């Protein structure tokens, strides 16, 4: 059985720390600073050949209404939080789905609270799948209390992204083994 959790990619994911709202720079950032911060922060999630964020992507998110325009060419802490969520969710979801998920969260919770909950759920889902003893991410609350539906959306979306990352890591492992001449030739798959 292949051990995806032992790969360098899995180890980078396990060390991932998404900055909480209070850890995001308090000073507003220019575009180049914003892109640099996000690339550094989110690098563990992406393969070396994948583009994390570019100026064009940021401008496209603004143009599509998913991200508010910069004020005086500077991006705030809220912009950074939105972009962290967008850049993590885009692994699995369309931009319109991401926009809907973000809008639902901030209609229910303060931006900082919603963002920090998202970061906690995302890191927990990644740790569950890539840890030494892989397990399913946290299940849904499915309660009737205010905010339960929105919390479930976060848990489900972060689990979906974690599973996507697991598939990407598995594919990379298979490709590495193939390139090295290691493999399971002659093994039949499901019928």
């Amino acid at each position: 059985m292949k051990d995806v959790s032992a790969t360098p990619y899995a180890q980078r994911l396990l060390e991932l720390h998404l900055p909480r709202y209070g850890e995001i720079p308090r000073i507003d950032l220019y575009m180049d600073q914003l892109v640099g911060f996000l690339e550094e922060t989110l690098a563990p999630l992406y393969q070396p050949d994948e583009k994390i964020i570019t100026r064009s992507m940021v401008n496209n998110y603004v143009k599509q209404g998913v991200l508010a325009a910069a004020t005086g060419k500077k991006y705030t802490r809220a912009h950074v939080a939105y972009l962290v969520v967008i850049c993590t969710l885009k692994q699995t979801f369309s931009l319109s789905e991401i926009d809907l998920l973000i809008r639902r969260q901030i209609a229910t919770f303060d931006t900082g609270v919603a963002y920090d909950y998202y970061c906690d759920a995302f890191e927990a889902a990644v740790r569950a799948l890539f840890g030494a003893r892989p397990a399913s991410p946290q299940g849904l609350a499915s309660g009737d209390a205010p905010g339960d539906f929105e919390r479930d959306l976060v848990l489900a979306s972060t689990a979906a992204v974690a599973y996507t990352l697991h598939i990407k890591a598995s594919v990379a492992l298979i490709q590495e083994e193939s390139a090295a001449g290691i493999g399971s030739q002659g093994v039949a798959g499901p019928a």
Side-chain angles (χ1 to χ4, degrees):
M1 183 168 167
K2 312 264 183 260
D3 187 6
V4 174
S5 66
T7 64
Y9 179 63
Q11 294 309 306
R12 286 194 322 267
L13 287 173
L14 288 171
E15 294 170 6
L16 173 71
H17 171 73
L18 297 177
R20 298 315 187 257
Y21 203 74
E23 298 170 343
I24 296 172
R26 293 182 188 273
I27 60 167
D28 295 346
L29 304 175
Y30 287 105
M31 177 70 84
D32 289 340
Q33 294 169 315
L34 174 73
V35 169
F37 179 80
L38 291 168
E39 284 179 338
E40 183 179 323
T41 300
L42 301 173
L45 295 172
Y46 289 82
Q47 298 293 346
D49 60 334
E50 289 182 294
K51 226 13 172 170
I52 298 170
I53 189 81
T54 64
R55 296 170 68 96
S56 297
M57 289 177 189
V58 173
N59 290 331
N60 186 41
Y61 301 151
V62 171
K63 189 185 312 180
Q64 293 191 30
V66 179
L67 183 68
T71 305
K73 296 188 178 186
K74 289 187 176 182
Y75 294 86
T76 65
R77 179 183 284 183
H79 285 107
V80 174
Y82 273 62
L83 285 165
V84 166
V85 173
I86 291 167
C87 289
T88 53
L89 289 177
K90 75 179 183 179
Q91 299 273 348
T92 307
F93 298 100
S94 72
L95 200 51
S96 62
E97 291 168 328
I98 294 168
D99 183 43
L100 181 68
L101 291 169
I102 291 173
R103 289 182 191 281
R104 184 64 187 241
Q105 291 303 313
I106 61 171
T108 307
F109 300 103
D110 172 73
T111 300
V113 170
Y115 174 75
D116 285 350
Y117 184 76
Y118 176 86
C119 291
D120 291 341
F122 188 87
E123 289 174 3
V126 167
R127 280 193 304 275
L129 283 177
F130 288 95
R133 305 186 89 175
S136 295
Q138 179 180 345
L140 306 180
S142 300
D144 293 331
D148 281 351
F149 177 75
E150 290 75 14
R151 283 186 282 273
D152 280 351
L153 284 174
V154 171
L155 293 173
S157 64
T158 55
V161 175
Y163 279 114
T164 298
L165 295 172
H166 194 276
I167 291 167
K168 286 183 176 187
S170 299
V171 167
L173 180 61
I174 292 166
Q175 289 171 334
E176 287 171 14
E177 288 178 347
S178 250
I182 305 168
S184 53
Q185 300 164 355
V187 176

